[in-house]
Amino acid sequence: MKPSTFFCALAAQSGASAALQESELPYYGRSPPVYPSRKSIFPNGTGTSSPRWGIAYGNARALVSQMTIEEKVNITHGWKGPCAGNTGAVPRLGIASICFSDAPDGVRGQEFVSAFPAGIHVAATWNKELMYEYGKAMGEEFYGKGIHVALGPVAGPLGRIARGGRNWEGLSNDPYLAGVAMGGITRGMQDAGVIATPKHFVLNEQEFRRRESSMGEAMSSNVDDRTLHELYVFPFMDSLREGAGAVMCSYQRANHSYGCQNSKLLNGILKTELGFEGFVVSDWDAQHSGVASANAGLDVVMPGAGYWGANLTMAAKNGSLSEDRLTDMATRLLASWYYQLQESYPPTSVFPSTQKHLTVDVQGDHAKLIEDIGAAGTVLVRNVNGTLPLKKPRFLCVYGYDAVVKAVPWQDPARFGGGYGINFGWSTLNGTLITAGGSGGSTPAYVVSPFQALQERVVKDRGILRWDFWSENPSPAYVNADACLVFINAYASESFDRTSLQDEFSDNLVRNVAANCSSTIVVIHSAGIRTIADWFDHPNVTAILYAGLPGQESGHSLVSVLYGDVNPTGRLPYTVAKKESDYGHLLNSTLSFDTFPDDNFTEGLYIDYRAFDKQNIEPLYEFGFGLSYTTFAFSNFSANISSKSPAEFPDPTLSIVQGGNPSLWDTVVVVRCTIQNSGSVDGAEIAQLYVGIPGDDTPVRQLRGFNRVGPLAPGASRKSVFELTRRDLSVWDVVAQEWRLRRGEYKIWIGASSRDLRLSGTVTIS
């Protein structure tokens, strides 16, 4: 969400005015129109998904029936107010303004709030319980500040483009892992009383030309129906199933129709196929038409009136917009409000830094959870001869700009680290990276830097430190040091895509330190993929950790892993290639200066590890990879079909509820195995299950289950059970327009990553 977007200054102005005369008519109809007919009010919200939704709709309908056309219009668009978004109020009916606010990793721009780890870091935990607790704790802070609608979690972008600027806000580029996280976070946030807003629906996969500009229209994400469902819609289904009360539509065009007036996406998929009961809110200033966007399924526009306001009132009165549709828009908003019991709610306590106000402290005891998630999402990828955990070292050297807090991070109180006015094009942050740039960034109450936490530990152990946070080639060398720790980062932000997955200064720093230190430990705080082929195999680089974007307890989280207080269980939520070119055409965002630019998703289902598998490219570190301080053995594989002959399609007699046909969530296959700690210290394994669906048009394997097993003492074992649902095993049939359970042999693997597969078997569905 942002009021303006930067674009490359390289775009030539000559010919632009002529190009803008190009007609849009050839592009009509590429996204199928889905509009209610005169005989049907579908897809109006019904409240039939659950008794709770039924009660909410009953209350909302009763309230909306008392409202005038003007009052209905007033609550469907934004007004000036304290929050990022504020609906209109209806005082005579007791309807207060509803407050919308960022961010998906914590309340942004406020005091006495917490900076939680970013979405990509939460995904790296592969821990379902922590995903829920994360959502619940964040929800409590939004609730305490009187914010009704929290703008998150994020599954768009999914992470199709390796250098995508906002991938770090999302929950991995695998739809299953992202879906589990989306569901857990949504449930947690709404259990805290706030309305969750999964975003950006859908196909918002790059920053370059995501919005209209002097060059022409926004980029069009052109995707086939099957890929749309199996990759990009898939994780949103989990949020909807958990009761999400709002969905935010996206900036860019999808098959040449803007995301916030795309009737196929909003009316057809979201509100019809998936039975969405809540309201669709535009991304900020993402509306492109008046009546057309309302009829296409947009319910609330932000942050102002956009094309609505008095225009929508006029349209409803002259019949251009049916009053039934306007009533549905207002009802959906208030139904979500009632669904979350927000009639009685804390007062909104959102203020600019320049306004004197009473302190509203919502941090609670969340620091410990932030530290735990920070540690759980730290991924150890190299550990030569047991370099880690550290064993009470007496002498450590600390190098690199990422070891300490940035000296001047608050030029913009709402954009920690650097706002849109100064961060364009950054590849690193000159300070430890705990969050990244744009509207998704968090606002820390404080930051525990790696150096601070290391210093606390070294002081406790009566040791010594030497440090240099500035130099590219630190000197002199300290030959008596037990180890040298090098801290680097990789920055990204909303409003621009990354131009590289590495940077020369940081790579030189690592090589220079390693040249003089026989035990060099490299810590990377990164907003997504960071390639390290230039130095990962240096004989003196003995340990490497991807430490993600861990939030305000960064140093404490990291040191607990470095010293072995926490045995690492983090796993990569993406593939780290040997070289950037291995990502092929999915490395960079699409660059086009056409009036109607196209981004064609010709790869279909094959992104990240699916593409590497298809093309037989060996990665440096594969999706799902991560080391532990112990080892694990897998045994006793079994797979059983829960019913002898499951139907090919979901039960058509069942009514659609929020999240889709209820039978999509039925268990079809149950898989079991045993995990044993075969090492010498306590630890937990992340057991991962992959499925090969019959057919030569499907990926070799797709993640369809994961469990954190442990902690286990050395020699101890535990069973792990995976329940595979109909949706997990289905493909989207573009002819039947339904999820189809193919007949044939399904391959199943269980292992420690997408390529470290320890057990395998098959089941046949006939």
Side-chain angles (χ1 to χ4, degrees), residues 109-253:
Q110 295 300 300
E111 299 163 2
F112 293 92
V113 298
S114 303
F116 291 83
I120 197 67
H121 195 101
V122 177
T125 70
W126 293 63
N127 187 316
K128 300 170 188 174
E129 290 75 20
L130 286 180
M131 291 166 180
Y132 170 80
E133 291 175 18
Y134 171 85
K136 181 72 157 40
M138 275 200 307
E140 289 169 354
E141 298 205 3
F142 280 94
Y143 180 90
K145 287 289 188 180
I147 298 166
H148 303 85
V149 183
L151 301 177
V154 175
L158 184 67
R160 170 180 178 256
I161 301 298
R163 291 179 175 175
R166 299 187 78 175
N167 292 353
W168 61 276
E169 295 182 46
L171 295 155
S172 99
N173 50 36
D174 179 81
Y176 182 86
L177 176 56
V180 171
M182 287 285 282
I185 295 169
T186 297
R187 180 162 52 89
M189 292 173 75
Q190 298 215 160
D191 281 355
V194 303
I195 296 170
T197 312
K199 64 180 187 179
H200 306 85
F201 193 82
V202 65
L203 304 175
N204 187 46
E205 294 296 319
Q206 69 175 58
E207 292 302 282
F208 181 73
R209 293 195 69 178
R210 64 175 182 164
R211 300 187 64 182
E212 70 283 4
S213 72
S214 60
M215 285 185 275
E217 301 300 333
M219 188 68 68
S220 179
S221 298
N222 302 325
V223 65
D224 66 90
D225 194 35
R226 181 179 171 193
T227 300
L228 173 63
H229 282 80
E230 292 186 30
L231 276 189
Y232 300 102
V233 171
F234 192 108
F236 284 91
M237 296 171 70
D238 294 78
S239 273
L240 297 181
R241 189 182 181 221
E242 295 295 347
V247 167
M248 180 185 285
C249 52
S250 57
Y251 279 128
Q252 90 303 323
R253 295 177 300 149

Side-chain angles (χ1 to χ4, degrees), residues 406-437:
K406 184 180 179 182
V408 186
W410 295 110
Q411 296 102 319
D412 182 340
R415 300 278 192 272
F416 173 76
Y420 298 119
I422 62 173
N423 77 348
F424 186 76
W426 287 358
S427 60
T428 59
L429 181 77
N430 192 18
T432 196
L433 190 65
I434 67 161
T435 186

Side-chain angles (χ1 to χ4, degrees), residues 314-561:
M314 183 185 303
K317 288 184 174 181
N318 68 23
S320 302
L321 176 74
S322 72
E323 189 173 352
D324 177 78
R325 174 68 189 112
L326 177 61
T327 296
D328 179 56
M329 293 156 63
T331 302
R332 284 176 175 274
L333 174 67
L334 293 176
S336 295
W337 186 65
Y338 277 118
Y339 184 80
Q340 288 299 102
L341 307 177
Q342 291 187 345
E343 313 95 292
S344 176
Y345 208 72
T348 297
S349 301
V350 175
F351 306 97
S353 62
T354 54
Q355 181 178 344
K356 190 74 174 176
H357 59 270
L358 294 175
T359 296
V360 179
D361 187 345
V362 296
Q363 298 171 94
D365 58 356
H366 299 153
K368 182 62 171 66
L369 175 64
I370 293 169
E371 180 182 342
D372 290 347
I373 296 173
T378 298
V379 185
L380 177 67
V381 296
R382 182 175 173 87
N383 194 22
V384 178
N385 297 326
T387 297
L388 297 177
L390 296 172
K391 302 164 184 70
K392 284 196 172 183
R394 299 294 307 282
F395 187 176
L396 293 176
C397 293
V398 181
Y399 300 113
Y401 56 90
D402 184 76
V404 290
V405 177
K406 184 180 179 182
V408 186
W410 295 110
Q411 296 102 319
D412 182 340
R415 300 278 192 272
F416 173 76
Y420 298 119
I422 62 173
N423 77 348
F424 186 76
W426 287 358
S427 60
T428 59
L429 181 77
N430 192 18
T432 196
L433 190 65
I434 67 161
T435 186
S439 63
S442 57
T443 302
Y446 53 83
V447 175
V448 178
S449 72
F451 184 71
Q452 176 187 335
L454 281 167
Q455 189 159 248
E456 291 170 1
R457 196 64 172 255
V458 169
V459 168
K460 181 180 178 182
D461 293 338
R462 302 185 67 181
I464 68 169
L465 288 163
R466 294 293 182 267
W467 60 90
D468 182 340
F469 309 132
W470 181 258
S471 301
E472 185 175 5
N473 187 9
S475 64
Y478 292 93
V479 297
N480 293 309
D482 295 306
C484 303
L485 290 96
V486 183
F487 290 87
I488 62 176
N489 65 50
Y491 184 81
S493 177
E494 180 181 11
S495 85
F496 63 92
D497 294 306
R498 298 167 67 187
T499 57
S500 178
L501 300 181
Q502 59 191 78
D503 74 278
E504 184 178 4
F505 180 95
S506 300
D507 288 341
N508 288 342
L509 172 63
V510 173
R511 284 191 295 262
N512 290 334
V513 172
N516 296 304
C517 184
S518 60
S519 183
T520 300
I521 300 165
V522 183
V523 178
I524 307 166
H525 286 114
S526 63
I529 299 167
R530 210 293 184 179
T531 52
I532 58 174
D534 289 351
W535 49 260
F536 84 98
D537 56 352
H538 191 292
N540 288 345
V541 174
T542 55
I544 304 171
L545 301 100
Y546 279 83
L549 298 173
Q552 66 190 35
E553 287 285 330
S554 174
H556 290 154
S557 298
L558 178 66
V559 167
S560 69
V561 173

Side-chain angles (χ1 to χ4, degrees), residues 597-640:
D598 289 303
D599 183 10
N600 297 316
F601 289 32
T602 54
E603 72 285 346
L605 301 171
Y606 299 94
I607 67 171
D608 198 71
Y609 71 92
R610 300 159 177 239
F612 279 70
D613 289 344
K614 181 181 182 182
Q615 299 168 34
N616 293 315
I617 299 173
E618 183 181 358
L620 181 60
Y621 299 118
E622 70 270 20
F623 175 83
F625 177 76
L627 298 175
S628 170
Y629 296 147
T630 188
T631 57
F632 297 92
F634 292 64
S635 62
N636 300 327
F637 176 94
S638 69
N640 299 285

